[in-house]
Amino acid sequence: GAGVSQSPRYKVAKRGQDVALRCDPISGHVSLFWYQQALGQGPEFLTYFQNEAQLDKSGLPSDRFFAERPEGSVSTLKIQRTQQEDSAVYLCASSLGTGGRGYTFGSGTRLTVV
Amino acid sequence: KQEVTQIPAALSVPEGENLVLNCSFTDSAIYNLQWFRQDPGKGLTSLLLIQSSQREQTSGRLNASLDKSSGRSTLYIAASQPGDSATYLCAGLSGGSYIPTFGRGTSLIVHP
């Protein structure tokens, strides 16, 4: 596609519910990133994929967070047993190579846990 | 580990003013630095990307500079307009890393 597409745009989850957030990167982009952005803060790194390989997941805040990119294109970020502190905007970005040409971000998914 | 700081956190200016947003980074072995704009409730839109071998990049009324020795980048906005109101974020990529580090952003309001 022409840009990075994320769905859903908004998600309201009851505490304890599992959620799945989808990212469709620009076709052919090797690198894919997930970031979490709390209100009034900058994006915080969660995890990084190079093709289908998850090379870095050091930013995932707990084992309730899981991400995959099985075929090296679409990625899913799953959060199990959501808690109120998970409320944030989840941003996905992709890059043609490994970042030398910059990054393209999606519009994000705003998750609200009630 | 790269750390990125943006000052000021918020800025309010009258229309037509020229302004400078600051971004500081701790790792001088920076590979590139990218400036983004974020409108409320939206994702990040890339404005300018500066490679480590470059000193500045320009796009329309925007000019971004990079000084590796001092660990600073500035975004200059000429003749500001109300439509420039947004949060401006910078992200630095260190050499040898794949992961850009973001500042917290500067929230800009340009009032008519």
Side-chain angles (χ1 to χ4, degrees), chain A residues 33-46:
Chain A
F33 303 80
W34 284 98
Y35 282 81
Q36 180 189 60
Q37 186 177 26
L39 191 63
Q41 303 295 315
E44 294 285 342
F45 169 76
L46 293 176

Side-chain angles (χ1 to χ4, degrees), chain A residues 25-86:
Chain A
I26 293 174
S27 179
H29 275 200
V30 167
S31 296
L32 185 145
F33 303 80
W34 284 98
Y35 282 81
Q36 180 189 60
Q37 186 177 26
L39 191 63
Q41 303 295 315
E44 294 285 342
F45 169 76
L46 293 176
T47 187
Y48 165 65
F49 289 87
Q50 197 172 100
N51 296 307
E52 70 278 3
Q54 189 175 23
L55 297 189
D56 192 321
K57 55 181 180 180
S58 61
L60 296 177
S62 77
D63 58 8
R64 295 185 296 103
F65 287 71
F66 171 78
E68 60 182 5
R69 192 185 185 197
E71 297 179 356
S73 55
V74 172
S75 177
T76 303
L77 176 66
K78 298 179 180 178
I79 309 173
Q80 298 177 322
R81 305 181 303 281
T82 52
Q83 300 177 4
Q84 283 192 319
E85 61 261 32
D86 299 335

Side-chain angles (χ1 to χ4, degrees), chain B residues 46-83:
Chain B
S46 179
L47 297 174
L48 290 164
L49 171 68
I50 312 175
Q51 302 293 350
S52 61
S53 58
Q54 299 171 325
R55 290 193 63 85
E56 64 178 60
Q57 284 285 336
T58 298
S59 175
R61 295 182 293 109
L62 304 180
N63 176 278
S65 67
L66 177 64
D67 185 340
K68 291 173 57 178
S69 62
S70 67
R72 289 185 59 190
S73 176
T74 60
L75 179 66
Y76 176 82
I77 303 177
S80 58
Q81 302 171 359

Side-chain angles (χ1 to χ4, degrees), chain A residues 9-10 33 35 37 40-43 45 48 50 55-56 58 91 98-108 110, chain B residues 1 31-32 34 36 38 40-46 49 51 87 89 91 93 97-105:
Chain A
R9 285 283 285 122
Y10 304 94
F33 303 80
Y35 282 81
Q37 186 177 26
Q41 303 295 315
F45 169 76
Y48 165 65
Q50 197 172 100
L55 297 189
D56 192 321
S58 61
L91 295 164
T98 54
R101 298 186 188 182
Y103 307 87
T104 303
F105 277 80
S107 297
R110 179 176 296 277
Chain B
K1 180 182 177 228
Y31 186 72
N32 63 38
Q34 194 165 1
F36 295 88
Q38 187 173 32
K42 300 292 179 66
L44 277 64
T45 300
S46 179
L49 171 68
Q51 302 293 350
T87 296
L89 294 146
L93 180 65
S97 173
Y98 299 124
I99 301 161
T101 301
F102 280 84
R104 290 190 171 187

